[in-house]
Amino acid sequence: MHTWVFIILAGLSFTSAATSMQQSARPDWVTEPGFNADAKRMSGESGLRYLLIDRQQRFAIDGEFAHYFRYAAKTVSRRGIDAVAQLQVDFDPTYQQLTWHDIQVHRDGETTTRLDLESIELLHRELTMEYNLVDGRRTAHAVLDDIQVGDIVEWSYTITGRNPIFGETIFGVMQLGWDYPVNQVYQRLLVPKGREPEFEYLAGAEKTKRNRIGDYREYIWNRQRVERVQTYTERPRWHHPFPVVSFSEFDSWADVVQWALPIYSPAPVQNMQLLERMKSLAAADGTAEQRILAALEMAQDEIRYFGIELGENSHRPSPPDETYARRYGDCKDKAMLLQALLAAQGIESAPALVSTTHGRGFEAFAPSPLAFNHVILKVTLEGQTYWVDPTRSSQRGDLLDRFPDYQMALPVAQGSKKPEPMPIPSAWAQRQSTIESFSTTEDLESADLVVEYTFTTTLADSVRDNLVSEGNELVMEHLQGVYGRVYGEVYPIGDLATSDHLRSNQLILTGEFEFPGFWENVNNYRRVETHASTIAEFLPLPSRFTDTSPLAVQFPIVVEHTITVADPVGFEAGVFETGENELNIEDDALHYYRSISLTDEELTIFHRLTTRQDAVTRENVQSHLGTRRDILESLGVVVVGLSNERTRLKQREQRLKNNLRKLIGDKQ
């Protein structure tokens, strides 16, 4: 089910005591395409038939920006009623004005008007609070009574204004397809004549002709029967599955840098406490890298991540004095504070714009500030480049360990002309090791477990954050649940122990559990199926298959999972329901290795998964999913112990041998 929440992408925003919402007729510059009320069903509908999505943008000669929206949707089941019975429009009252034009319901050939401005509530919901950001947007919320199956709901409105930090430069995006079908998509762009934005077309978006309408140039995309786009949730972030037209007057990424330079110009530091802290960091003993790490950890851990992104503050950083004094800031605030700390040490650095959403894929868009949603820092030390992210609290290790994998960045520095790749350091990989040591108790039915998890790089950072936010007890409960799903009844023994090696960024967790019914008696044998669950976590299977999208692979990772089972009487020699004792499964994207070794009283099963690339091409997804399934089936190894009857015989035999050895020893 798709909730109709429409957010203008022309700027991020903030808050105002005044509200800017009104009602008027449609503006005279818009065109009104009709829609087919009798459109047939399309594959992928979910309670609602989208008859029309109409979006028109105008960059006026006087510099005003307006974005017109019109929608028509038919409810085809009760599920669809919820989607259109509550209409929501997000806007920023600081620099935007929302104008409603109409809300109509078409039923059995008759049309009723439902627009009542006084009944529309303005909500201040702060949808970004979960990311520790306050942007001040308001939500206009219209509740429609008496919506029935078969109704066609049609509504339109215009949002005027955009973030003043962008000036009058023309840029934006127009989407032509979604993950649900639409009978008609109508996108229209008006720019003043003589203004010539460049266009980029993604994922099959088509070019269109340019028309002259008075003092404007007009571009229209009118698509019929637009099928839903099927893609993976696990697609690589650089992949663009939806057809999009991106346009911009910025001729190059160098022009975007020139736009950003005055915004990110370093502010002088005057706060006395901050000046003293800068002197202390610069005078500290140790190498230059160690001083950089100390400054980075101060920005990461002492400055809380929280952003008040109101108006231009969506893109304009706060001065370092202000960030340090209040002890909080967002990504750009922290980046500028860290730049000031490093400048006091004579270390060169520059803020860098990145996309956490698209990774290196932002280059496919026409150059503009819309390509980016995050700011990090590029640090240059002795001719080598390091990328650091001051928002990543609890990060440890050396500078290379702190590498943030955003794939590509645009440094905001004089002379910066194009995005720079962020190559993964050769020694950098996400590593996780699990060692599970099971010991069968004397009753030959139960077992105790000592498990040790070792995490490095970003995996250590993530687990460290979880320990801080959730606490050891909740993590222990999670592990108990994981083992319960594999082995049945399980109880923790004691508390979770942690050993955090901060400089090497290696975090070790140790826990103990008891399993009352570890062994299962089957046909006079004791049987248990072990499972390398930590490797399975890195091999998710998509809920559906499509041959139109590549599949993401977490890269680079090395995950090892070792299981040992110690038994006082040993195992049935050669009895495994596992196939080969040594196994390799691989393709271009990953390699899995498993080995099984056995002594009289201990069994060791070793699993290792290594990834080789960050994605599988769409042509190879189906065969790769087969490889994943083969690996997942190999993670379970059935172990067979000696039966109780044969165990007693072996115990008796062992006692006789021990007595014989003792007798011989006494005689000698």
Side-chain angles (χ1 to χ4, degrees), residues 297 300-301 394-398 401-402 461 464 502 505:
E297 288 174 14
Q300 289 176 327
D301 299 338
S394 303
Q395 205 177 30
R396 294 297 181 264
D398 59 24
D401 280 332
R402 315 288 178 109
D461 301 334
R464 192 178 289 116
L502 299 180
N505 199 23

Side-chain angles (χ1 to χ4, degrees), residues 64-116:
E64 182 182 71
F65 171 75
H67 201 158
Y68 169 80
F69 298 81
R70 177 172 166 236
Y71 302 96
K74 182 176 183 178
T75 59
V76 295
S77 75
R78 294 197 61 83
R79 293 182 63 192
I81 293 176
D82 291 337
V84 290
Q86 299 186 66
L87 305 179
Q88 301 183 57
V89 180
D90 287 1
F91 72 105
D92 171 20
T94 305
Y95 54 78
Q96 291 177 326
Q97 183 174 42
L98 170 62
T99 303
W100 288 94
H101 304 307
D102 59 38
I103 301 175
Q104 298 179 335
V105 176
H106 307 282
R107 179 187 299 165
D108 298 329
E110 296 184 358
T111 299
T112 58
T113 297
R114 301 293 186 88
L115 178 58
D116 178 7

Side-chain angles (χ1 to χ4, degrees), residues 31 35 45 65 72-73 125 127 148 199 210 218 221 331-332 382 472 485-486 507 538 556 559 610 613 626:
T31 57
F35 61 86
E45 289 181 359
F65 171 75
R125 298 193 296 168
L127 300 177
Q148 301 177 16
F199 291 84
R210 182 180 64 181
E218 177 191 60
W221 288 262
C331 60
K332 55 190 181 295
E382 298 177 354
N472 290 19
R485 289 189 291 273
V486 177
L507 177 62
F538 293 89
V559 185
T610 307
Q613 57 193 37

Side-chain angles (χ1 to χ4, degrees), residues 133-149:
L133 297 174
V134 174
D135 60 20
R137 281 184 294 187
R138 301 292 173 89
T139 298
H141 184 236
V143 178
L144 307 185
D145 298 332
D146 186 30
I147 301 300
Q148 301 177 16
V149 173

Side-chain angles (χ1 to χ4, degrees), residues 160-172:
T160 306
R162 72 170 186 169
N163 197 324
I165 202 166
F166 296 141
E168 296 185 5
T169 305
I170 293 172
F171 58 85

Side-chain angles (χ1 to χ4, degrees), residues 128-134 304-308 330:
T128 55
M129 274 296 291
E130 63 179 295
Y131 304 109
N132 286 332
L133 297 174
V134 174
R304 180 167 56 95
Y305 181 73
F306 183 76
I308 301 179
D330 62 11

Side-chain angles (χ1 to χ4, degrees), residues 340-359:
L341 295 174
L342 297 182
Q345 302 179 30
I347 295 171
E348 179 185 349
S349 67
L353 309 178
V354 298
S355 173
T356 63
T357 305
H358 299 295

